[in-house]
């Protein structure tokens, strides 16, 4: 699977354009805003958008989803249904950040643990990883050892859990029980910041080190 990262919004969110090299069919993952910039990048790659994929319902990850879905005539897929309250609350989110109003969004299809999403000949495994938000999902391409992790894990950090229905313990459990077992060689594209590998984070991410015993 090929990918091209398009940083968008004041939050520096990593919108991922991913595509199958054989078919040139593509998906946009987490188009958080700046729809015109995203359209230009898609045109430059010469690929065909077939769907919009969402990891979770925060404004900086979904802000341009509806506009781009209408522009390309494609469905919005994901996240897991527990994030519905975030997507229905997009007007309040945009007001909170002083941004142009973003209307409520209802995906064409919700995703669940164990689902598979096809992008051309590429099959993306869907893992439900709650903690940052209750309905957060990630997308994993086993063949290319590439993970799109949204705001679950970052280089040297993990997602915030102080939002409504956030849960730090669940977040760490999602990482340790679902992501790290995918393998040390897996490269992940986080929702913000630089890429990393699960192996590097397993060894060096301070949030993933077991606490030292208290004597």
């Amino acid at each position: 699977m090929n990918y091209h990262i398009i940083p968008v919004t004041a939050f520096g969110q990593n919108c991922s354009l991913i595509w199958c090299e054989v078919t040139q069919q593509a998906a946009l993952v987490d188009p958080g805003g700046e729809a015109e910039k995203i359209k230009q990048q898609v045109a430059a790659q010469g690929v065909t958008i077939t769907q919009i994929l969402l990891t979770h319902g925060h404004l900086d990850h979904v802000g341009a989803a509806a506009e781009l879905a209408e522009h390309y005539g494609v469905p919005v897929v994901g996240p897991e249904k527990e994030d519905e309250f975030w997507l229905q609350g997009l007007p309040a989110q945009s007001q909170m950040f002083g941004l142009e109003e973003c209307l409520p969004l209802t995906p064409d299809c919700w995703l669940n643990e164990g689902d598979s999403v096809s992008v051309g000949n590429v099959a993306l495994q869907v893992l439900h990883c709650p903690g940052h938000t209750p309905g957060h999902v990630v997308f994993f391409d086993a063949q290319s050892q590439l993970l799109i992790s949204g705001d679950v894990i970052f280089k040297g950090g993990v997602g915030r859990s102080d939002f409504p229905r956030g849960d730090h313990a669940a977040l760490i459990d999602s990482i340790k029980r679902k992501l790290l077992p995918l393998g040390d060689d897996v490269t992940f594209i986080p929702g913000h910041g630089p890429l990393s590998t699960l192996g590097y984070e397993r060894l060096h991410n301070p949030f993933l080190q077991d606490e030292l015993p208290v004597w």
Side-chain angles (χ1 to χ4, degrees), residues 74-150:
V74 299
V76 176
V77 178
E80 200 267 350
K81 201 173 191 299
E82 288 297 314
D83 264 20
E84 183 174 20
F85 77 101
W86 278 117
L87 294 174
Q88 292 305 308
L90 283 170
Q93 289 191 60
S94 50
Q95 184 178 26
M96 181 173 61
F97 290 111
L99 301 174
E100 183 178 348
E101 183 180 25
C102 184
L103 296 177
L105 174 66
T106 300
D108 296 276
C109 177
W110 299 103
L111 291 172
N112 296 293
E113 173 81 17
D115 285 348
S116 180
V117 175
S118 296
V119 182
N121 295 339
V122 176
L124 298 175
Q125 180 183 353
V126 176
L127 299 173
H128 179 212
C129 294
H132 179 64
T133 68
H136 200 302
V137 298
V138 302
F139 301 99
F140 177 56
D141 176 22
Q143 184 172 3
S144 63
Q145 293 287 281
L146 183 69
L147 171 71
I148 300 176
S149 65

Side-chain angles (χ1 to χ4, degrees), residues 24-194:
Q24 295 295 292
Q25 292 186 357
L28 285 165
V29 186
D30 288 358
E34 298 187 75
E36 291 305 318
K37 177 181 180 180
I38 293 173
K39 292 175 189 176
Q40 292 171 7
Q41 296 285 323
V42 170
Q45 295 296 335
V47 296
T48 301
I49 300 295
T50 61
Q51 57 198 311
I52 309 289
L53 304 178
L54 302 179
T55 63
H56 65 292
H58 284 164
L59 174 66
D60 59 325
H61 289 253
V62 309
E67 179 179 345
L68 291 168
E70 181 178 5
H71 175 75
Y72 293 112
V74 299
V76 176
V77 178
E80 200 267 350
K81 201 173 191 299
E82 288 297 314
D83 264 20
E84 183 174 20
F85 77 101
W86 278 117
L87 294 174
Q88 292 305 308
L90 283 170
Q93 289 191 60
S94 50
Q95 184 178 26
M96 181 173 61
F97 290 111
L99 301 174
E100 183 178 348
E101 183 180 25
C102 184
L103 296 177
L105 174 66
T106 300
D108 296 276
C109 177
W110 299 103
L111 291 172
N112 296 293
E113 173 81 17
D115 285 348
S116 180
V117 175
S118 296
V119 182
N121 295 339
V122 176
L124 298 175
Q125 180 183 353
V126 176
L127 299 173
H128 179 212
C129 294
H132 179 64
T133 68
H136 200 302
V137 298
V138 302
F139 301 99
F140 177 56
D141 176 22
Q143 184 172 3
S144 63
Q145 293 287 281
L146 183 69
L147 171 71
I148 300 176
S149 65
D151 283 357
V152 174
I153 187 171
F154 306 107
K155 184 173 184 179
V158 298
R160 291 175 58 175
S161 54
D162 57 341
F163 295 115
R165 296 188 62 194
D167 186 327
H168 182 73
L171 179 70
I172 299 303
D173 181 70
S174 292
I175 295 170
K176 290 187 172 182
R177 187 166 56 87
K178 295 187 178 181
L179 299 191
L180 295 186
L182 296 176
D184 285 354
D185 293 336
V186 171
T187 295
F188 66 87
I189 303 173
H192 307 264

